[in-house]
Each structure stands twice: as C-alpha cells, then as structure tokens.
C-alpha cells in the first residue's frame, strides 16, 4: 500500500526592499530631509569652528548664539568672536547656499534637456556668467548698480550663454540632447577664450591673479553684504524649481509625451532657463565657476530616492549644501595658510564618482 506524502507549498521569496523603496513614502522622505538638515546644521557649526584658529563646536555655538541673541562675550574673546562671526560664518553659509543652488540647477537642467551629462558648467552657463562677471570687474561696467554690478554682469552673461546654446541646438523647435551637449561644450570653450582675452588685457596684474583664482572657485570674498541677494535668489529659485517638479517629470520623458499630457515643452524650457540663468549667475558672481557639483549630485540623489523630481529637488539641495560646506573646509585647511581652489577639490571628487556611476551595472539617467 503506497502512501502519499503531502508537500507544503513553498513561498516565493520576496525581493529585499531597497533604500529607494524605503524612502518612497512621504513620511520616510520627510525624515530623510530632517536628518539631512540636522547634518547640515552640524556641518556648518563644525566648519565655522575649524581653521587656523580652531574653536570647539560648543564654543562656536556659544559665539553664534551671542551674535544672534545680542549676548555678551568677554573682552579677551573679541578677536575669536570676530573671526567666527564676521569671517567664517558668512563664508560657510554662502558655501551651503551655493551647494544647494548648484545641485538644484543641475537637476533642472538634466531634466529639461534629457541628458545625463548636462549641468551649468557643461552647457556653458557658468562660463557665460564668468565672462559677464570678469568683464564687469575689469572694465568697471554697470557701476551704477554699485555692489550688485558683478551679480548683474554674471546674470547677463549666464542668460546670454543659455540663449545662444538653446538657439544653436534647436532644430525646428526640437532639441537634440547630443547637439545640445556638443553646442554647450563649444560655447563653454568660446566663453573661456573670451574671458582669457579680457584677463590678458587687464591693466592690473594683481587683479588678474585674483580673477584667475576666482574663476576656479572660492568663497574667500564672502561677506554679510553678499548674503542677502544670494539667499533670496537661491531660495526663490529652489521654490520655483520645486513648483515645476511635475513639469520636469514630464519633460524628462520627451517632448512628444509632454505635449500629449498638455505640457508645453518650449514654454517651460524658456521659463526654466531664465530661473536657471538667474540662480547660476548670482552664484558665479560670489563663488566663481565650480564644476561637477551640479553634474554629480543629482545622479547620486536619484539613485537613492528615485527619479521623481519632487523628491529629488527636496533632497538634492540639502546633500549639495552639506557637500559644499565640507569642500570649502578642505580648501582652506588642507594647505593652510594657503587655499585650494574649490574647483580643484570638486573635480578630484566628482571625476571618479561620475566614472563609477557610468560603470555601474544597469545605470541609466534616473538610476537603476
């Protein structure tokens, strides 16, 4: 007599949840943003305290609180307080703003043109802004605008570069990603040549050396006077880009898909180009041209939170701000008392990271 053995059905193993799956819920995304914001605050306090005259985080926080609340400090602490509040604090805050702005602008440009290699530097926007800023600095143009002359020159240069790249790349209203990148690279080289000519004919050799250093990126000229305009423009730009996150999702799918969903690609690109040019111009005016931040940060964030731009634009500015604060700290401490240009450090970090991303199995524009 044979017996039949009942075999229990085997359960299909569930795929292991990825980090992106865990961050899919709004609550998880909110907690991530809060954690990144706390990391940014901690990074700012640590960066303000470190330098030639090192100050502990607790003492740094006490000085900052005294400055914000009008508290008193000892007479023997005046010099340290001035270093913390008047020199380092505006510099570190400016680094955070520029890092956030570059990351957000990179996200927007890559979606607008549907190209993973696009950023303000590759598309020539940063080079155009540099030409405008250097031209105003050397020639004294736009003097009627006072302290905002350099920012205005950088914005005009960035807007002109964006317009030229867009016109030269478009073909009967369509925008080829490959043509856009090639045109942007060519325009970038052209603007760099114009900037070299301006610097070559500059009458003051000291000004020339300062401009050359500035074009490689530096927050050495940061002051409280430059923060209000940069803060207003960058924060407003972040808000506008986030409000366009749905349009960026559609633009990333292609013009035909965007048109079928009722989104006018040309209209949105024109308005977004103005926002991108304004934010880039203001940042270049105060920090110079900093490469790779707007290129690499969006890719790293997309790999973690996905390609939905509402999530990417919520996380990328915070990641970029933290990154730039530490880059600036390295630039002024590694070879102190001299400073390394910011562009050197971002390139040394960005190049291997970007190559690693490209070699990552299954990597696409929005991540895996």
């Amino acid at each position: 007599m044979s017996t039949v053995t009942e075999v229990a059905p085997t359960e299909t193993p569930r795929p292991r949840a990825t980090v992106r799956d865990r961050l899919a819920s709004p609550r998880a995304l909110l907690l991530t943003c809060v954690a990144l914001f706390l990391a940014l605050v901690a990074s700012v306090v640590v960066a303000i305290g470190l330098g030639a005259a090192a100050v502990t985080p607790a003492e740094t926080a006490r000085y900052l609180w005294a400055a914000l609340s009008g508290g008193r400090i000892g007479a023997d602490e005046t010099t340290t307080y001035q270093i913390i509040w008047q020199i380092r604090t505006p510099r570190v805050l400016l680094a955070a703003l520029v890092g956030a702005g570059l990351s957000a602008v990179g996200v927007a440009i890559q979606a607008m043109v549907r190209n993973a290699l696009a950023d303000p530097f590759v598309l020539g926007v940063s080079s155009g802004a540099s030409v405008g800023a250097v031209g105003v600095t050397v020639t004294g143009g736009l003097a009627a605008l006072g302290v905002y002359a350099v920012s205005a020159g950088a914005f005009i240069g960035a807007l002109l570069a964006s317009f030229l790249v867009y016109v030269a790349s478009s073909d009967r209203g369509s925008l080829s990603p490959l043509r856009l990148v090639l045109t942007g690279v060519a325009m970038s080289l052209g603007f760099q040549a114009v900037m070299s000519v301006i610097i070559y004919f500059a009458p003051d050799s000291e000004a020339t050396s300062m401009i050359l250093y500035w074009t490689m990126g530096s927050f050495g000229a940061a002051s409280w006077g430059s923060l209000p305009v940069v803060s207003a423009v960058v924060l407003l730009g972040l808000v506008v880009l986030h409000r366009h996150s749905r349009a960026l999702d559609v633009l990333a799918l292609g013009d035909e898909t965007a048109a079928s969903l009722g989104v006018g690609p040309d209209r949105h690109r024109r308005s977004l180009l103005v926002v991108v040019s304004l934010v880039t111009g203001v940042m270049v005016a105060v920090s110079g041209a900093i490469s790779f931040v707007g290129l690499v940060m969006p890719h790293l964030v997309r790999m973690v939170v996905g390609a939905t731009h509402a999530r990417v634009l919520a996380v990328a500015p915070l990641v970029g701000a933290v990154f730039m604060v530490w880059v600036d700290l390295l630039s002024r401490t590694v070879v102190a008392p001299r400073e390394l240009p910011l562009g050197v450090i971002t390139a040394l970090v960005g190049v291997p990271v970007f190559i690693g991303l490209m070699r990552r199995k299954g990597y696409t524009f929005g991540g895996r």
Side-chain angles (χ1 to χ4, degrees):
M1 182 177 180
S2 61
T3 60
V4 178
T5 304
E6 183 177 353
V7 179
T10 59
E11 295 184 358
T12 303
R14 296 180 179 180
R16 187 175 181 180
T18 63
V19 176
R20 184 186 300 182
D21 296 332
R22 297 189 185 100
L23 295 177
S25 65
R27 182 175 180 272
L29 182 64
L30 176 61
L31 292 176
T32 301
C33 292
V34 171
L36 287 172
F37 179 77
L38 294 177
L40 176 59
V41 173
S43 299
V44 167
V45 173
V46 171
I48 291 175
L50 293 180
V55 182
T56 64
E59 287 295 302
T60 301
R62 183 172 68 86
Y63 288 133
L64 295 176
W65 178 251
L68 295 173
S69 62
R72 295 183 178 181
I73 59 172
D76 58 333
E77 299 176 309
T78 302
T79 301
T80 305
Y81 172 79
Q82 293 294 331
I83 294 174
I84 292 295
W85 182 247
Q86 296 295 340
I87 299 177
R88 293 183 187 171
T89 300
R91 175 170 182 152
V92 173
L93 293 179
L94 186 62
L97 286 169
V98 171
L102 287 174
S103 299
V105 166
V107 171
I109 290 181
Q110 289 173 3
M112 286 163 50
V113 302
R114 293 180 290 119
N115 194 294
L117 295 177
D119 77 337
F121 193 83
V122 172
L123 291 185
V125 181
S126 294
S127 299
S130 298
V131 169
V134 170
V136 169
T137 302
V138 173
T139 63
L142 304 178
L145 298 179
V147 295
Y148 303 110
V150 177
S151 298
F155 169 63
I156 294 173
L159 191 62
L160 177 61
S162 301
F163 175 77
L164 292 176
V165 171
Y166 182 83
V167 170
S169 303
S170 60
D171 181 19
R172 298 178 182 178
S174 63
L175 196 63
S176 169
L178 178 59
R179 182 182 300 168
L180 182 67
V181 171
L182 294 177
T183 305
V185 171
M187 289 291 183
S188 178
L189 294 174
F191 280 119
Q192 290 178 21
V194 172
M195 184 169 56
S196 299
V197 172
I198 295 175
I199 294 174
Y200 180 79
F201 287 103
D204 189 351
S205 59
E206 183 178 354
T208 301
S209 61
M210 291 179 62
I211 292 172
L212 284 173
Y213 179 78
W214 173 77
T215 54
M216 293 186 288
S218 172
F219 297 118
S223 64
W224 285 111
S226 61
L227 274 178
V229 174
V230 180
S231 302
V233 172
V234 171
L235 294 178
L236 180 62
L238 293 180
V239 172
V240 172
L241 292 178
H242 196 274
R243 289 176 64 89
H244 283 78
S245 58
R246 175 56 182 164
L248 291 173
D249 287 336
V250 178
L251 288 176
L253 299 176
D255 289 2
E256 293 183 0
T257 303
S260 66
L261 295 175
V263 176
D266 291 335
R267 177 172 58 87
H268 280 284
R269 282 198 183 96
R270 283 193 295 267
S271 60
L272 288 170
L273 271 176
V274 174
V275 175
V276 165
S277 300
L278 176 61
V279 176
T280 303
V282 170
M283 290 188 297
V284 170
V286 295
S287 66
I290 304 174
S291 60
F292 282 100
V293 178
L295 175 63
V296 175
M297 291 299 145
H299 291 293
L300 292 176
V301 174
R302 286 193 195 96
M303 290 174 59
V304 177
V305 304
T308 303
H309 285 86
R311 295 201 299 265
V312 176
L313 287 172
V315 176
L318 293 171
V319 175
V322 173
F323 174 72
M324 189 55 66
V325 167
W326 286 99
V327 166
D328 178 59
L329 178 60
L330 289 175
S331 73
R332 56 187 171 88
T333 56
V334 170
V335 291
R338 302 183 65 182
E339 290 187 14
L340 282 174
L342 297 174
V344 172
I345 300 177
T346 56
L348 290 176
V349 175
V351 170
V353 170
F354 191 74
I355 292 176
L357 288 175
M358 291 297 100
R359 294 180 62 85
R360 185 174 182 266
K361 184 179 180 180
Y363 182 82
T364 58
F365 172 67
R368 284 181 92 172

